[in-house]
Amino acid sequence: MRGLVIKNTGSWYTVKTDDGRTIESKIKGNFRLKGIRSTNPISVGDYVQIIINQEGTAFISEIEDRKNYIIRKSSNLSKQSHIIAANLDQAFLIVTINYPETSTTFIDRFLAGAEAYRVPVVLVFNKHDLLNEDERRYQEAVIKLYESIGYKCVTVQATAEIDSEESIEKLRPLLAGKVTLMSGNSGVGKSTIINKLLPNVNLRTAEISDTHNTGMHTTTFSEMLELPEGGYVIDTPGIKGFGTFDIDKEELTSYFREIFKFSESCRFNNCTHTHEPGCAVRKALEEHYIAESRYNSYLSMLEDKDENKYREAF
Ligand code: GDP
Ligand code: ZN
Protein backbone atom coordinates (compact mmCIF):
# COMPACT_ATOMS: atom_id res chain seq x y z
CA MET A 1 0.00 0.00 0.00
CA ARG A 2 1.35 3.41 -0.98
CA GLY A 3 1.09 6.39 1.33
CA LEU A 4 2.39 9.81 2.30
CA VAL A 5 4.25 10.43 5.56
CA ILE A 6 2.44 13.35 7.20
CA LYS A 7 3.85 13.23 10.72
CA ASN A 8 6.89 11.90 12.50
CA THR A 9 7.03 11.47 16.27
CA GLY A 10 10.25 9.68 17.05
CA SER A 11 10.04 6.10 15.89
CA TRP A 12 6.44 6.31 14.66
CA TYR A 13 5.41 7.77 11.33
CA THR A 14 1.84 8.69 10.47
CA VAL A 15 1.13 7.57 6.92
CA LYS A 16 -1.85 8.76 4.92
CA THR A 17 -2.59 5.97 2.45
CA ASP A 18 -3.70 6.56 -1.10
CA ASP A 19 -7.14 5.25 -0.14
CA GLY A 20 -7.48 7.85 2.62
CA ARG A 21 -6.64 5.92 5.79
CA THR A 22 -4.25 7.19 8.45
CA ILE A 23 -1.92 4.46 9.68
CA GLU A 24 0.76 4.56 12.36
CA SER A 25 3.85 2.97 10.91
CA LYS A 26 7.35 1.94 11.86
CA ILE A 27 10.46 1.36 9.84
CA LYS A 28 11.16 -2.30 9.23
CA GLY A 29 14.52 -3.43 10.48
CA ASN A 30 17.69 -1.64 9.54
CA PHE A 31 16.45 0.76 6.94
CA ARG A 32 19.18 2.87 5.44
CA LEU A 33 19.14 5.29 2.55
CA LYS A 34 21.93 5.49 0.07
CA GLY A 35 23.91 8.69 0.03
CA ILE A 36 22.37 10.55 2.95
CA ARG A 37 23.72 10.40 6.46
CA SER A 38 20.63 11.51 8.22
CA THR A 39 19.35 11.21 11.76
CA ASN A 40 15.94 10.42 10.27
CA PRO A 41 15.89 8.21 7.18
CA ILE A 42 12.29 9.15 6.42
CA SER A 43 10.66 12.54 6.78
CA VAL A 44 7.29 14.17 6.30
CA GLY A 45 6.53 14.49 2.61
CA ASP A 46 8.04 11.11 1.76
CA TYR A 47 6.01 8.66 -0.29
CA VAL A 48 6.41 5.16 1.09
CA GLN A 49 5.18 1.61 0.68
CA ILE A 50 3.72 0.10 3.82
CA ILE A 51 2.73 -3.40 4.86
CA ILE A 52 -0.29 -3.27 7.15
CA ASN A 53 -0.41 -5.84 9.97
CA GLN A 54 -3.27 -7.34 11.96
CA GLU A 55 -3.15 -4.69 14.70
CA GLY A 56 -3.82 -1.98 12.15
CA THR A 57 -0.33 -0.55 12.30
CA ALA A 58 2.20 -0.98 9.53
CA PHE A 59 5.81 -1.43 8.54
CA ILE A 60 7.40 0.91 6.05
CA SER A 61 9.13 -1.30 3.52
CA GLU A 62 10.15 1.12 0.81
CA ILE A 63 10.66 4.82 0.17
CA GLU A 64 10.18 6.49 -3.20
CA ASP A 65 12.82 8.76 -4.71
CA ARG A 66 12.46 12.37 -3.59
CA LYS A 67 12.09 15.24 -6.01
CA ASN A 68 13.67 17.52 -3.39
CA TYR A 69 14.18 17.79 0.35
CA ILE A 70 15.37 20.32 2.85
CA ILE A 71 17.84 19.43 5.56
CA ARG A 72 19.30 20.89 8.69
CA LYS A 73 22.84 20.05 9.69
CA SER A 74 22.97 18.66 13.19
CA SER A 75 26.02 20.85 13.82
CA ASN A 76 28.67 22.57 11.74
CA LEU A 77 31.20 19.82 12.27
CA SER A 78 28.94 16.83 12.08
CA LYS A 79 28.23 15.29 8.72
CA GLN A 80 24.91 14.09 10.05
CA SER A 81 21.86 15.97 8.95
CA HIS A 82 18.20 16.01 9.75
CA ILE A 83 15.69 15.93 6.90
CA ILE A 84 13.00 18.49 7.63
CA ALA A 85 10.66 17.81 4.72
CA ALA A 86 10.63 16.10 1.35
CA ASN A 87 8.86 16.63 -1.97
CA LEU A 88 7.90 20.28 -1.58
CA ASP A 89 5.87 21.81 -4.40
CA GLN A 90 6.49 25.37 -3.24
CA ALA A 91 7.36 27.63 -0.34
CA PHE A 92 5.48 30.65 0.95
CA LEU A 93 7.80 33.20 2.46
CA ILE A 94 5.76 35.37 4.80
CA VAL A 95 7.31 38.82 5.06
CA THR A 96 6.38 42.07 6.75
CA ILE A 97 7.68 45.45 5.64
CA ASN A 98 7.40 46.47 9.27
CA TYR A 99 6.38 44.95 12.65
CA PRO A 100 8.80 43.21 12.40
CA GLU A 101 10.88 44.50 9.50
CA THR A 102 11.90 41.79 7.03
CA SER A 103 15.08 42.82 5.25
CA THR A 104 15.59 42.34 1.53
CA THR A 105 18.80 40.51 2.41
CA PHE A 106 16.75 37.95 4.30
CA ILE A 107 14.33 37.62 1.36
CA ASP A 108 17.17 37.25 -1.14
CA ARG A 109 18.98 34.61 0.89
CA PHE A 110 15.78 32.64 1.18
CA LEU A 111 15.12 32.96 -2.55
CA ALA A 112 18.66 31.88 -3.41
CA GLY A 113 18.27 28.82 -1.18
CA ALA A 114 14.95 28.02 -2.83
CA GLU A 115 16.55 28.29 -6.28
CA ALA A 116 19.28 25.90 -5.14
CA TYR A 117 16.66 23.39 -4.03
CA ARG A 118 14.45 24.15 -7.05
CA VAL A 119 11.48 25.09 -4.90
CA PRO A 120 9.23 27.85 -6.33
CA VAL A 121 8.51 30.67 -3.88
CA VAL A 122 5.49 32.92 -3.39
CA LEU A 123 6.22 36.08 -1.39
CA VAL A 124 3.33 36.81 0.96
CA PHE A 125 3.38 40.35 2.36
CA ASN A 126 1.41 40.36 5.61
CA LYS A 127 0.22 43.05 8.06
CA HIS A 128 -0.84 45.41 5.30
CA ASP A 129 -3.12 47.19 7.80
CA LEU A 130 -0.21 48.34 9.96
CA LEU A 131 1.64 50.19 7.21
CA ASN A 132 1.61 53.97 6.88
CA GLU A 133 1.62 55.75 3.52
CA ASP A 134 5.42 55.66 3.15
CA GLU A 135 5.62 52.02 4.11
CA ARG A 136 2.88 51.13 1.64
CA ARG A 137 4.76 52.89 -1.13
CA TYR A 138 7.91 51.08 -0.12
CA GLN A 139 6.06 47.76 -0.11
CA GLU A 140 4.77 48.46 -3.61
CA ALA A 141 8.32 49.11 -4.79
CA VAL A 142 9.57 45.89 -3.20
CA ILE A 143 6.73 43.94 -4.82
CA LYS A 144 7.49 45.51 -8.18
CA LEU A 145 11.11 44.48 -7.85
CA TYR A 146 10.38 40.83 -7.06
CA GLU A 147 7.63 40.57 -9.65
CA SER A 148 10.01 41.92 -12.27
CA ILE A 149 12.43 39.12 -11.37
CA GLY A 150 9.63 36.59 -11.75
CA TYR A 151 8.41 35.88 -8.22
CA LYS A 152 4.73 35.88 -7.42
CA CYS A 153 3.77 38.37 -4.70
CA VAL A 154 0.57 38.60 -2.67
CA THR A 155 -0.44 41.13 -0.01
CA VAL A 156 -2.55 39.91 2.89
CA GLN A 157 -3.79 40.90 6.29
CA ALA A 158 -4.05 37.77 8.35
CA THR A 159 -6.23 39.38 11.00
CA ALA A 160 -8.72 40.83 8.51
CA GLU A 161 -12.33 39.81 8.00
CA ILE A 162 -13.09 37.48 5.10
CA ASP A 163 -14.25 40.21 2.70
CA SER A 164 -11.14 42.36 3.02
CA GLU A 165 -9.17 43.05 -0.12
CA GLU A 166 -6.15 41.65 1.71
CA SER A 167 -7.99 38.55 2.89
CA ILE A 168 -5.89 35.42 3.27
CA GLU A 169 -8.68 33.59 1.42
CA LYS A 170 -6.90 34.53 -1.77
CA LEU A 171 -4.06 32.21 -0.72
CA ARG A 172 -6.33 29.15 -0.98
CA PRO A 173 -6.26 28.71 -4.75
CA LEU A 174 -2.46 28.99 -4.63
CA LEU A 175 -2.27 26.25 -1.99
CA ALA A 176 -4.85 23.83 -3.37
CA GLY A 177 -3.48 20.37 -4.09
CA LYS A 178 0.11 21.35 -3.31
CA VAL A 179 2.63 20.74 -0.55
CA THR A 180 3.71 24.15 0.71
CA LEU A 181 6.44 25.03 3.16
CA MET A 182 5.52 28.04 5.32
CA SER A 183 8.52 30.15 6.21
CA GLY A 184 9.36 33.55 7.58
CA ASN A 185 10.82 35.34 10.54
CA SER A 186 9.25 34.97 13.93
CA GLY A 187 6.35 37.37 14.44
CA VAL A 188 5.40 37.88 10.79
CA GLY A 189 2.10 36.01 11.21
CA LYS A 190 2.76 32.42 10.11
CA SER A 191 0.70 30.84 12.89
CA THR A 192 -2.13 33.30 12.36
CA ILE A 193 -2.24 32.55 8.64
CA ILE A 194 -2.02 28.76 9.07
CA ASN A 195 -4.67 28.90 11.77
CA LYS A 196 -7.09 30.67 9.43
CA LEU A 197 -6.42 28.30 6.55
CA LEU A 198 -7.06 25.14 8.55
CA PRO A 199 -10.44 23.78 9.60
CA ASN A 200 -11.25 24.27 13.28
CA VAL A 201 -10.66 20.64 14.16
CA ASN A 202 -6.94 21.06 13.79
CA LEU A 203 -5.34 21.75 17.15
CA ARG A 204 -1.82 22.04 15.91
CA THR A 205 -1.74 25.85 15.64
CA ALA A 206 -2.59 26.25 19.32
CA GLU A 207 0.57 24.35 20.14
CA ILE A 208 2.55 26.60 17.85
CA SER A 209 1.22 29.75 19.48
CA ASP A 210 2.13 28.31 22.86
CA THR A 211 5.60 27.66 21.63
CA HIS A 212 5.90 31.27 20.59
CA ASN A 213 4.58 32.63 23.83
CA THR A 214 7.14 30.78 25.86
CA GLY A 215 9.88 31.92 23.52
CA MET A 216 10.85 28.39 22.59
CA HIS A 217 11.57 27.71 18.98
CA THR A 218 12.82 24.19 18.89
CA THR A 219 10.63 21.53 17.41
CA THR A 220 12.34 18.37 16.34
CA PHE A 221 9.54 16.99 14.24
CA SER A 222 7.71 18.64 11.41
CA GLU A 223 4.13 17.98 10.53
CA MET A 224 2.10 18.30 7.38
CA LEU A 225 -1.26 19.94 7.95
CA GLU A 226 -4.02 18.96 5.55
CA LEU A 227 -5.94 21.78 3.91
CA PRO A 228 -9.68 21.56 3.22
CA GLU A 229 -9.05 22.33 -0.46
CA GLY A 230 -6.53 19.50 -0.74
CA GLY A 231 -2.82 19.80 -0.28
CA TYR A 232 -0.76 20.37 2.83
CA VAL A 233 1.13 23.10 4.59
CA ILE A 234 4.34 22.29 6.39
CA ASP A 235 5.06 24.40 9.39
CA THR A 236 8.55 24.14 10.76
CA PRO A 237 8.80 26.36 13.81
CA GLY A 238 12.30 27.68 14.30
CA ILE A 239 13.44 26.90 10.78
CA LYS A 240 13.65 29.98 8.65
CA GLY A 241 15.47 28.97 5.52
CA PHE A 242 16.77 26.13 3.49
CA GLY A 243 19.57 25.27 5.84
CA THR A 244 23.19 25.20 4.89
CA PHE A 245 24.11 24.53 1.36
CA ASP A 246 27.51 24.47 -0.17
CA ILE A 247 27.84 26.09 -3.56
CA ASP A 248 30.63 27.34 -5.74
CA LYS A 249 30.88 30.91 -6.90
CA GLU A 250 29.60 30.39 -10.42
CA GLU A 251 26.62 28.54 -9.06
CA LEU A 252 25.74 31.40 -6.71
CA THR A 253 25.14 33.63 -9.72
CA SER A 254 22.53 31.22 -11.02
CA TYR A 255 20.53 31.52 -7.79
CA PHE A 256 19.92 35.20 -8.52
CA ARG A 257 17.77 34.96 -11.63
CA GLU A 258 18.23 38.45 -13.07
CA ILE A 259 21.95 38.52 -12.25
CA PHE A 260 22.32 35.19 -13.99
CA LYS A 261 20.57 36.53 -17.07
CA PHE A 262 23.03 39.42 -17.43
CA SER A 263 26.06 37.29 -16.46
CA GLU A 264 25.77 35.44 -19.74
CA SER A 265 27.23 38.55 -21.39
CA CYS A 266 30.20 38.90 -19.00
CA ARG A 267 33.59 38.69 -20.71
CA PHE A 268 34.82 35.87 -18.44
CA ASN A 269 32.59 32.91 -17.90
CA ASN A 270 33.85 32.53 -14.33
CA CYS A 271 33.18 36.23 -13.59
CA THR A 272 32.27 36.89 -9.94
CA HIS A 273 30.89 40.34 -10.90
CA THR A 274 33.05 42.10 -8.30
CA HIS A 275 36.11 43.51 -10.10
CA GLU A 276 36.48 41.81 -13.49
CA PRO A 277 36.70 43.89 -16.68
CA GLY A 278 33.85 43.45 -19.14
CA CYS A 279 31.37 42.53 -16.41
CA ALA A 280 27.84 42.79 -17.79
CA VAL A 281 26.33 42.48 -14.32
CA ARG A 282 28.02 45.57 -12.95
CA LYS A 283 27.09 47.43 -16.13
CA ALA A 284 23.45 46.39 -15.63
CA LEU A 285 23.69 47.50 -12.00
CA GLU A 286 24.93 50.94 -13.04
CA GLU A 287 22.12 51.24 -15.54
CA HIS A 288 19.61 50.16 -12.87
CA TYR A 289 18.54 46.98 -14.61
CA ILE A 290 19.68 45.14 -11.48
CA ALA A 291 18.59 46.47 -8.08
CA GLU A 292 21.32 47.50 -5.67
CA SER A 293 19.66 45.53 -2.85
CA ARG A 294 19.83 42.35 -4.92
CA TYR A 295 23.46 42.91 -5.88
CA ASN A 296 24.34 43.58 -2.23
CA SER A 297 22.65 40.35 -1.17
CA TYR A 298 24.63 38.52 -3.83
CA LEU A 299 27.85 40.08 -2.51
CA SER A 300 27.05 39.17 1.07
CA MET A 301 26.52 35.54 0.11
CA LEU A 302 29.69 35.59 -1.94
CA GLU A 303 31.53 36.90 1.10
CA ASP A 304 30.27 34.02 3.24
CA LYS A 305 31.64 31.79 0.57
CA ASP A 306 35.04 33.54 0.59
CA GLU A 307 35.31 33.19 4.33
CA ASN A 308 34.41 29.55 3.86
CA LYS A 309 31.69 29.89 6.43
CA TYR A 310 28.94 27.46 6.90
CA ARG A 311 26.00 29.77 6.98
CA GLU A 312 22.32 29.39 7.17
CA ALA A 313 20.98 30.23 3.73
CA PHE A 314 18.76 33.09 4.75
P1 GDP B 1 4.57 33.87 13.70
O1 GDP B 1 5.67 34.00 14.72
O2 GDP B 1 5.09 34.12 12.33
O3 GDP B 1 3.83 32.56 13.78
O4 GDP B 1 3.54 35.05 14.00
P2 GDP B 1 2.11 35.03 14.72
O5 GDP B 1 1.10 34.39 13.85
O6 GDP B 1 2.27 34.49 16.10
O7 GDP B 1 1.77 36.59 14.76
C1 GDP B 1 2.48 37.53 15.55
C2 GDP B 1 1.54 38.65 15.95
O8 GDP B 1 1.15 39.41 14.80
C3 GDP B 1 0.23 38.17 16.58
O9 GDP B 1 -0.05 39.03 17.65
C4 GDP B 1 -0.79 38.32 15.47
O10 GDP B 1 -2.08 38.55 15.96
C5 GDP B 1 -0.27 39.54 14.74
N1 GDP B 1 -0.67 39.56 13.31
C6 GDP B 1 -0.58 38.57 12.41
N2 GDP B 1 -1.02 38.97 11.20
C7 GDP B 1 -1.40 40.26 11.34
C8 GDP B 1 -1.93 41.24 10.43
O11 GDP B 1 -2.14 41.03 9.23
N3 GDP B 1 -2.16 42.48 10.96
C9 GDP B 1 -1.95 42.78 12.26
N4 GDP B 1 -2.23 44.01 12.69
N5 GDP B 1 -1.44 41.88 13.12
C10 GDP B 1 -1.18 40.65 12.68
ZN1 ZN C 1 30.34 39.67 -14.36
Side-chain angles (χ1 to χ4, degrees), residues 159-172:
T159 50
E161 295 309 314
I162 295 289
D163 56 5
S164 154
E165 214 179 289
E166 274 80 36
S167 159
I168 64 148
E169 290 303 309
K170 64 184 178 192
L171 298 178
R172 288 196 192 277

PDB file of all heavy atoms in Angstrom, residues 159-172:
ATOM      1  N   THR A 159      -5.229  39.141   9.958  1.00  0.00           N
ATOM      2  CA  THR A 159      -6.232  39.381  11.002  1.00  0.00           C
ATOM      3  C   THR A 159      -7.510  40.006  10.445  1.00  0.00           C
ATOM      4  O   THR A 159      -8.423  40.315  11.191  1.00  0.00           O
ATOM      5  CB  THR A 159      -5.644  40.308  12.095  1.00  0.00           C
ATOM      6  OG1 THR A 159      -5.066  41.447  11.452  1.00  0.00           O
ATOM      7  CG2 THR A 159      -4.581  39.595  12.906  1.00  0.00           C
ATOM      8  N   ALA A 160      -7.562  40.162   9.105  1.00  0.00           N
ATOM      9  CA  ALA A 160      -8.717  40.835   8.510  1.00  0.00           C
ATOM     10  C   ALA A 160      -9.935  39.934   8.425  1.00  0.00           C
ATOM     11  O   ALA A 160      -9.836  38.721   8.499  1.00  0.00           O
ATOM     12  CB  ALA A 160      -8.366  41.325   7.114  1.00  0.00           C
ATOM     13  N   GLU A 161     -11.106  40.564   8.246  1.00  0.00           N
ATOM     14  CA  GLU A 161     -12.335  39.807   7.999  1.00  0.00           C
ATOM     15  C   GLU A 161     -12.260  39.227   6.590  1.00  0.00           C
ATOM     16  O   GLU A 161     -11.512  39.700   5.731  1.00  0.00           O
ATOM     17  CB  GLU A 161     -13.544  40.735   8.120  1.00  0.00           C
ATOM     18  CG  GLU A 161     -13.737  41.290   9.527  1.00  0.00           C
ATOM     19  CD  GLU A 161     -13.729  40.198  10.597  1.00  0.00           C
ATOM     20  OE1 GLU A 161     -14.399  39.167  10.383  1.00  0.00           O
ATOM     21  OE2 GLU A 161     -13.037  40.366  11.614  1.00  0.00           O
ATOM     22  N   ILE A 162     -13.092  38.223   6.361  1.00  0.00           N
ATOM     23  CA  ILE A 162     -13.086  37.480   5.101  1.00  0.00           C
ATOM     24  C   ILE A 162     -13.172  38.378   3.851  1.00  0.00           C
ATOM     25  O   ILE A 162     -12.494  38.132   2.864  1.00  0.00           O
ATOM     26  CB  ILE A 162     -14.267  36.473   5.078  1.00  0.00           C
ATOM     27  CG1 ILE A 162     -14.065  35.414   6.170  1.00  0.00           C
ATOM     28  CG2 ILE A 162     -14.443  35.816   3.723  1.00  0.00           C
ATOM     29  CD1 ILE A 162     -12.955  34.437   5.920  1.00  0.00           C
ATOM     30  N   ASP A 163     -14.000  39.441   3.918  1.00  0.00           N
ATOM     31  CA  ASP A 163     -14.251  40.206   2.696  1.00  0.00           C
ATOM     32  C   ASP A 163     -13.214  41.305   2.428  1.00  0.00           C
ATOM     33  O   ASP A 163     -13.353  42.074   1.497  1.00  0.00           O
ATOM     34  CB  ASP A 163     -15.667  40.803   2.713  1.00  0.00           C
ATOM     35  CG  ASP A 163     -15.891  41.649   3.955  1.00  0.00           C
ATOM     36  OD1 ASP A 163     -14.924  41.842   4.721  1.00  0.00           O
ATOM     37  OD2 ASP A 163     -17.019  42.126   4.153  1.00  0.00           O
ATOM     38  N   SER A 164     -12.167  41.341   3.242  1.00  0.00           N
ATOM     39  CA  SER A 164     -11.138  42.356   3.016  1.00  0.00           C
ATOM     40  C   SER A 164     -10.393  42.111   1.707  1.00  0.00           C
ATOM     41  O   SER A 164     -10.252  40.976   1.260  1.00  0.00           O
ATOM     42  CB  SER A 164     -10.141  42.336   4.175  1.00  0.00           C
ATOM     43  OG  SER A 164      -8.892  42.805   3.751  1.00  0.00           O
ATOM     44  N   GLU A 165      -9.930  43.168   1.128  1.00  0.00           N
ATOM     45  CA  GLU A 165      -9.169  43.053  -0.118  1.00  0.00           C
ATOM     46  C   GLU A 165      -7.858  42.286   0.111  1.00  0.00           C
ATOM     47  O   GLU A 165      -7.306  41.683  -0.789  1.00  0.00           O
ATOM     48  CB  GLU A 165      -8.862  44.457  -0.632  1.00  0.00           C
ATOM     49  CG  GLU A 165      -8.837  44.577  -2.127  1.00  0.00           C
ATOM     50  CD  GLU A 165      -8.561  46.013  -2.535  1.00  0.00           C
ATOM     51  OE1 GLU A 165      -9.448  46.868  -2.347  1.00  0.00           O
ATOM     52  OE2 GLU A 165      -7.442  46.253  -3.012  1.00  0.00           O
ATOM     53  N   GLU A 166      -7.396  42.347   1.363  1.00  0.00           N
ATOM     54  CA  GLU A 166      -6.152  41.651   1.713  1.00  0.00           C
ATOM     55  C   GLU A 166      -6.423  40.325   2.407  1.00  0.00           C
ATOM     56  O   GLU A 166      -5.571  39.798   3.096  1.00  0.00           O
ATOM     57  CB  GLU A 166      -5.293  42.546   2.615  1.00  0.00           C
ATOM     58  CG  GLU A 166      -4.405  43.501   1.876  1.00  0.00           C
ATOM     59  CD  GLU A 166      -5.162  44.728   1.401  1.00  0.00           C
ATOM     60  OE1 GLU A 166      -6.061  45.175   2.129  1.00  0.00           O
ATOM     61  OE2 GLU A 166      -4.863  45.206   0.294  1.00  0.00           O
ATOM     62  N   SER A 167      -7.601  39.798   2.225  1.00  0.00           N
ATOM     63  CA  SER A 167      -7.986  38.551   2.885  1.00  0.00           C
ATOM     64  C   SER A 167      -7.036  37.402   2.544  1.00  0.00           C
ATOM     65  O   SER A 167      -6.590  37.267   1.407  1.00  0.00           O
ATOM     66  CB  SER A 167      -9.404  38.183   2.464  1.00  0.00           C
ATOM     67  OG  SER A 167      -9.627  36.809   2.665  1.00  0.00           O
ATOM     68  N   ILE A 168      -6.748  36.580   3.538  1.00  0.00           N
ATOM     69  CA  ILE A 168      -5.894  35.417   3.265  1.00  0.00           C
ATOM     70  C   ILE A 168      -6.624  34.359   2.444  1.00  0.00           C
ATOM     71  O   ILE A 168      -6.008  33.402   1.979  1.00  0.00           O
ATOM     72  CB  ILE A 168      -5.327  34.771   4.552  1.00  0.00           C
ATOM     73  CG1 ILE A 168      -6.448  34.208   5.408  1.00  0.00           C
ATOM     74  CG2 ILE A 168      -4.437  35.702   5.326  1.00  0.00           C
ATOM     75  CD1 ILE A 168      -5.985  32.988   6.161  1.00  0.00           C
ATOM     76  N   GLU A 169      -7.938  34.534   2.259  1.00  0.00           N
ATOM     77  CA  GLU A 169      -8.685  33.592   1.420  1.00  0.00           C
ATOM     78  C   GLU A 169      -8.089  33.499   0.018  1.00  0.00           C
ATOM     79  O   GLU A 169      -8.206  32.483  -0.650  1.00  0.00           O
ATOM     80  CB  GLU A 169     -10.159  33.985   1.327  1.00  0.00           C
ATOM     81  CG  GLU A 169     -10.924  33.791   2.627  1.00  0.00           C
ATOM     82  CD  GLU A 169     -10.855  32.350   3.134  1.00  0.00           C
ATOM     83  OE1 GLU A 169     -11.130  31.435   2.359  1.00  0.00           O
ATOM     84  OE2 GLU A 169     -10.501  32.169   4.324  1.00  0.00           O
ATOM     85  N   LYS A 170      -7.457  34.581  -0.417  1.00  0.00           N
ATOM     86  CA  LYS A 170      -6.896  34.526  -1.768  1.00  0.00           C
ATOM     87  C   LYS A 170      -5.650  33.639  -1.854  1.00  0.00           C
ATOM     88  O   LYS A 170      -5.149  33.382  -2.945  1.00  0.00           O
ATOM     89  CB  LYS A 170      -6.637  35.934  -2.309  1.00  0.00           C
ATOM     90  CG  LYS A 170      -5.611  36.751  -1.593  1.00  0.00           C
ATOM     91  CD  LYS A 170      -5.591  38.137  -2.226  1.00  0.00           C
ATOM     92  CE  LYS A 170      -4.612  39.034  -1.528  1.00  0.00           C
ATOM     93  NZ  LYS A 170      -4.762  40.426  -1.924  1.00  0.00           N
ATOM     94  N   LEU A 171      -5.178  33.163  -0.697  1.00  0.00           N
ATOM     95  CA  LEU A 171      -4.060  32.211  -0.718  1.00  0.00           C
ATOM     96  C   LEU A 171      -4.541  30.809  -1.087  1.00  0.00           C
ATOM     97  O   LEU A 171      -3.777  29.998  -1.606  1.00  0.00           O
ATOM     98  CB  LEU A 171      -3.359  32.161   0.641  1.00  0.00           C
ATOM     99  CG  LEU A 171      -2.696  33.449   1.143  1.00  0.00           C
ATOM    100  CD1 LEU A 171      -2.089  33.213   2.520  1.00  0.00           C
ATOM    101  CD2 LEU A 171      -1.623  33.931   0.166  1.00  0.00           C
ATOM    102  N   ARG A 172      -5.825  30.531  -0.800  1.00  0.00           N
ATOM    103  CA  ARG A 172      -6.334  29.154  -0.977  1.00  0.00           C
ATOM    104  C   ARG A 172      -6.104  28.567  -2.366  1.00  0.00           C
ATOM    105  O   ARG A 172      -5.600  27.451  -2.491  1.00  0.00           O
ATOM    106  CB  ARG A 172      -7.809  29.065  -0.602  1.00  0.00           C
ATOM    107  CG  ARG A 172      -8.038  29.174   0.889  1.00  0.00           C
ATOM    108  CD  ARG A 172      -9.421  28.710   1.287  1.00  0.00           C
ATOM    109  NE  ARG A 172      -9.707  29.087   2.669  1.00  0.00           N
ATOM    110  CZ  ARG A 172      -9.305  28.393   3.728  1.00  0.00           C
ATOM    111  NH1 ARG A 172      -8.636  27.272   3.553  1.00  0.00           N
ATOM    112  NH2 ARG A 172      -9.565  28.807   4.945  1.00  0.00           N
TER     113      ARG A 172
END
